[in-house]
Amino acid sequence: MFAALKTHAWAYPALEVVHIVGIALLLGNLVLLELRVFGRGAALPVKDLARLSLSLALCGFALAAASGLLVFATQPAELLSNRAFTLKMLLLMLAGCNAAWFHGRGSLTRLDALARAQMLASTLVWLAVVVCGRWIAYL
């Protein structure tokens, strides 16, 4: 299967498209929820919006993770020696820890200053993940 990704002219670019679509679903829905947490769209119930946006964000994460693992499998040695890739993986772990902390403390029901800080941190970390992902090709 990995050989097919390397030999078919369209396979690797198609995989990258799937990766980008997953990132767009993930980040777009997190930003939407963050806007609501910061008071925009106050007429929308937070729990209902969170149910929709977080389920779409999880679908986006699943697409990005699955396609990312396939991309990794095509060139593991090169990626493991790439500093941007290493930083991207560390940022992904940080994003996961922040999400676990956010949901573990019930931040969606509190919507306090810490919840807002966690949402802002989440978006910034995910944007840094995207930046590192682009830098992989240039380092």
Side-chain angles (χ1 to χ4, degrees), residues 3-139:
L5 289 173
K6 292 181 181 182
T7 58
H8 291 344
W10 56 267
Y12 195 85
L15 188 59
E16 287 183 328
V17 167
V18 171
H19 196 65
I20 291 168
V21 168
I23 293 166
L25 276 171
L26 169 68
L27 193 55
N29 281 287
L30 289 179
V31 168
L32 179 65
L33 184 58
E34 180 178 329
L35 288 171
R36 177 58 190 92
V37 168
F38 275 92
R40 305 295 289 167
L44 299 170
V46 174
K47 286 189 179 196
D48 294 336
L49 180 62
R51 188 177 314 111
L52 176 62
S53 66
L54 291 177
S55 63
L56 289 172
L58 281 172
C59 289
F61 178 78
L63 274 177
S67 58
L69 285 171
L70 288 173
V71 167
F72 176 79
T74 64
Q75 51 189 341
E78 294 87 356
L79 288 171
L80 288 173
S81 65
N82 186 301
R83 285 180 287 190
F85 177 79
T86 303
L87 181 56
K88 180 180 177 178
M89 294 302 108
L90 290 171
L91 288 167
L92 284 170
M93 289 187 339
L94 179 60
C97 290
N98 185 53
W101 182 30
F102 181 85
H103 293 289
R105 72 178 288 270
S107 292
L108 273 176
T109 56
R110 295 179 187 206
L111 296 180
D112 56 2
L114 182 54
R116 289 181 181 88
Q118 289 174 297
M119 286 296 294
L120 182 60
S122 175
T123 299
L124 292 174
V125 168
W126 280 109
L127 288 173
V129 167
V130 170
V131 169
C132 287
R134 288 303 308 138
W135 278 351
I136 289 170
Y138 303 105
L139 292 180

